[in-house]
Amino acid sequence: MNVSLLDGWFPWGVQLAAGAVLLPALGWRDRRWRLRRVPVALAVAVVLTLLADLLVVRVAGVTDPLPVALWLWVGAALAALAVLVVGWRGARWWRRALAPLAALLAVVAAANALNASTGYFPTVDDAIGELSGSPLPQQVTLAQLGSLTGRTTTGRIVEVDIPDTASGFAHRQELVYLPPAWFRSKARPKLPVLEMIGGEYSAPDNWVRAGLAVQTADAYAAQHGGFAPVLVFADATGGFQADTECVDGPGGMAEDHLVKDIPSYVEKTFGTTADPHKWGVAGWSMGGTCAVDLTVEHPNVFAHFEDISGDLGPNTGDKQQTIDQLYGGDAAAWAAHDPMTVLEHHARYRNVSGWFDSGDQEQRQTAAAKQLDQAALKDGISSRQTVEPGRHAWQFASGAFARALPWLAQQLGTPGPHVNPAPAKA
C-alpha cells in the first residue's frame, strides 16, 4: 500500500475516526456523569500524560522536543480508558466497546503524529517493510552478484553481515549499495565509498526507506555513466533504542566498528578503493554528529563528510551526563571525541572537506554547524555551511543528501564528469 503516512487522507482519517469514536464513548449521560465522573476521568488522563512526558525525558533520555500532537492523542487514549473505568457501571454495552476502540485509534494517531514529525516511515509500505523485515527494492544476496555482471542499469543493495573482528561490536545486519558501474565487468573499478549513518533511533535501512539514498545514487549514476560512490548503510548503535553517538564506550565499540571493521570488509569484499581520500561519511541527526567526529578524529580513514542537522558534538544530555553515559565517567575520552576540542589541538588538516547542512527550523543544529564550520576552516578543512528550508525530519535529510551527492562524489574522486559546483556558503 503506497499510502502516505505523512500527509493526505490517512493521517486525517485516523484522527477523525478516533474523535468520532471517542465522543460517543464519552457521552452526555446524566448530570452526575457530566459534573463528577467526566472531570475525574479527564484529570486522570492529564496527570498520566504529564507523567508519561516526564518519563520519556527523564528516564528514556529523549532530549529532542516531541510533537504536541503526540501528547494530545496520548491524552485522548488515556481519557478513553479512564472513561471506561469510571463509567463501567451503568454504561451500555456499546459504550463499553467504543472506549477501548477509541483508545486504540488514539494510540495509532499518536504514533503517526510521532512518525510525521520524524519522517521515519513515509508510506504504509515502508512501515510494513521495515517492521516485518521484508527485502528492499533492488536487494540481492552476495551469491547473486556474479550473475548480474553487465545486466543492470540501476544499482543493487546487498545485505551483509560484517565481522566484528576489530571491534567486538554487536551490530545488526548492514547494507551496501553498489552502483551500475560495479557490474560492468569482472575487472571492477576501484570505487570510492560513503558510510551512511542515521539518527539515534534508527535501523541501517532508514537511509534507504526514508532517506531515499538509493534513488538519489541511481539518479546520479544515470547522469554520470553509471558511476557513483558505493554506499554503506552502517549500524552505529546496535539497536533501535541504543545511543552510542559513534564512540567507543559502555554502549559498545561503535567507533572501532565504523573505522576498522567496515572499511576492511568493504575493501576486500567489493574491491573498493582503500585510499582514505576517497572515503567519506554522511549522516543525519546523530549521524551528522558522527560524520564530523569520525572525520576530524580519523582523517587517515575518512577525508570528507556531510553533516546534516548534527549537534556540536556527541551528547546524551549535558556535559556531565554525556561523560557518565557515553564514556563511563572518563572526561579525557569526552575531550578526545569532542569535535571542537579535537579541532583546537589537531595539526592542520590537508585535503579534508566537509559540508554542514541544516534546516531553517533547526536553531540548535544551525548554531552548532556555524561554530563547527568556523573551527574547521580555521584548522585547514575546506568546509561550507548551508541552511535550507526544513525541519528535523528524514524528508529534510533526503533532500540534503540529494543536494550534496554531486559535490561529495567530486570530492571522493568518483569517475565521470562533475559539473556541479561546491555548495555556496550560507
Side-chain angles (χ1 to χ4, degrees):
M1 295 176 64
N2 195 27
V3 176
S4 175
L5 294 175
L6 306 180
D7 49 36
W9 66 267
F10 184 86
W12 285 108
V14 171
Q15 295 176 54
L16 289 173
V21 176
L22 180 60
L23 288 177
L26 182 65
W28 190 248
R29 307 191 195 186
D30 55 29
R31 181 179 176 85
R32 179 183 177 86
W33 172 255
R34 294 193 302 272
L35 298 181
R36 293 188 180 182
R37 294 191 176 182
V38 170
V40 169
L42 295 179
V44 168
V46 170
V47 170
L48 291 177
T49 302
L50 292 174
L51 286 174
D53 187 11
L54 183 64
L55 286 173
V56 166
V57 174
R58 296 291 178 85
V59 178
V62 176
T63 55
D64 289 325
L66 296 172
V68 174
L70 165 67
W71 297 117
L72 290 176
W73 286 113
V74 167
L78 292 170
L81 295 176
V83 164
L84 179 65
V85 173
V86 302
W88 183 266
R89 293 183 61 185
R92 296 181 179 181
W93 68 267
W94 56 268
R95 289 193 191 277
R96 294 176 180 177
L98 285 178
L101 178 58
L104 176 61
L105 289 169
V107 168
V108 173
N112 199 59
L114 178 61
N115 177 63
S117 73
T118 59
Y120 272 92
F121 303 128
T123 69
V124 173
D125 277 345
D126 292 319
I128 293 173
E130 182 158 329
L131 295 175
S132 66
S134 62
L136 294 156
Q138 301 173 219
Q139 184 171 333
V140 298
T141 66
L142 278 171
Q144 293 172 320
L145 287 179
S147 64
L148 294 173
T149 301
R151 297 183 183 178
T152 177
T153 57
T154 60
R156 291 293 186 268
I157 305 168
V158 188
E159 190 173 58
V160 292
D161 189 4
I162 298 176
D164 58 1
T165 308
S167 68
F169 183 62
H171 61 87
R172 295 164 288 181
Q173 285 194 308
E174 292 158 309
L175 301 162
V176 175
Y177 163 83
L178 301 169
W182 191 89
F183 298 93
R184 285 185 178 163
S185 68
K186 292 183 179 179
R188 297 185 174 99
K190 295 284 186 180
L191 293 172
V193 183
L194 269 174
E195 285 191 18
M196 307 289 292
I197 304 175
E200 176 182 346
Y201 299 100
S202 66
D205 65 355
N206 284 155
W207 263 114
V208 181
R209 298 188 192 277
L212 305 179
V214 169
Q215 286 100 313
T216 296
D218 272 348
Y220 177 87
Q223 298 177 350
H224 294 81
F227 288 98
V230 170
L231 307 180
V232 181
F233 303 106
D235 183 11
T237 61
F240 184 77
Q241 294 182 318
D243 183 11
T244 66
E245 299 286 314
C246 303
V247 305
D248 292 340
M253 308 297 278
E255 182 180 358
D256 277 354
H257 177 61
L258 298 165
V259 172
K260 298 176 182 177
D261 291 338
I262 290 178
S264 175
Y265 176 85
V266 171
E267 291 162 15
K268 291 177 182 178
T269 306
F270 301 106
T272 64
T273 180
D275 184 353
H277 294 101
K278 296 186 177 183
W279 274 72
V281 192
W284 171 69
S285 193
M286 181 203 77
T289 309
C290 296
V292 178
D293 206 27
L294 291 170
T295 304
V296 299
E297 284 186 62
H298 304 282
N300 59 325
V301 179
F302 308 107
H304 314 284
F305 67 84
E306 183 190 13
D307 169 7
I308 307 170
S309 307
D311 286 331
L312 191 59
N315 76 89
T316 56
D318 61 31
K319 180 178 178 179
Q320 192 57 52
Q321 288 174 325
T322 298
I323 291 173
D324 293 340
Q325 295 173 16
L326 282 186
Y327 307 107
D330 188 346
W334 173 89
H337 291 83
D338 174 59
M340 291 298 293
T341 304
V342 174
L343 286 166
E344 183 180 354
H345 295 93
H346 197 280
R348 190 169 181 83
Y349 294 86
R350 292 187 177 183
N351 301 316
V352 176
S353 64
W355 185 352
F356 299 92
D357 200 352
S358 57
D360 58 4
Q361 299 177 45
E362 299 180 297
Q363 295 182 354
R364 187 185 78 208
Q365 290 83 2
T366 298
K370 182 177 181 180
Q371 192 171 345
L372 286 165
D373 177 46
Q374 293 174 347
L377 285 169
K378 185 178 179 181
D379 209 19
I381 296 175
S382 175
S383 69
R384 295 290 186 272
Q385 181 197 5
T386 58
V387 180
E388 303 285 345
R391 57 187 176 84
H392 201 71
W394 267 109
Q395 283 61 53
F396 178 78
S398 172
F401 179 64
R403 289 189 296 272
L405 182 56
W407 175 83
L408 280 166
Q410 184 180 33
Q411 298 299 303
L412 292 166
T414 309
H418 301 284
V419 298
N420 300 83
K425 197 171 178 65

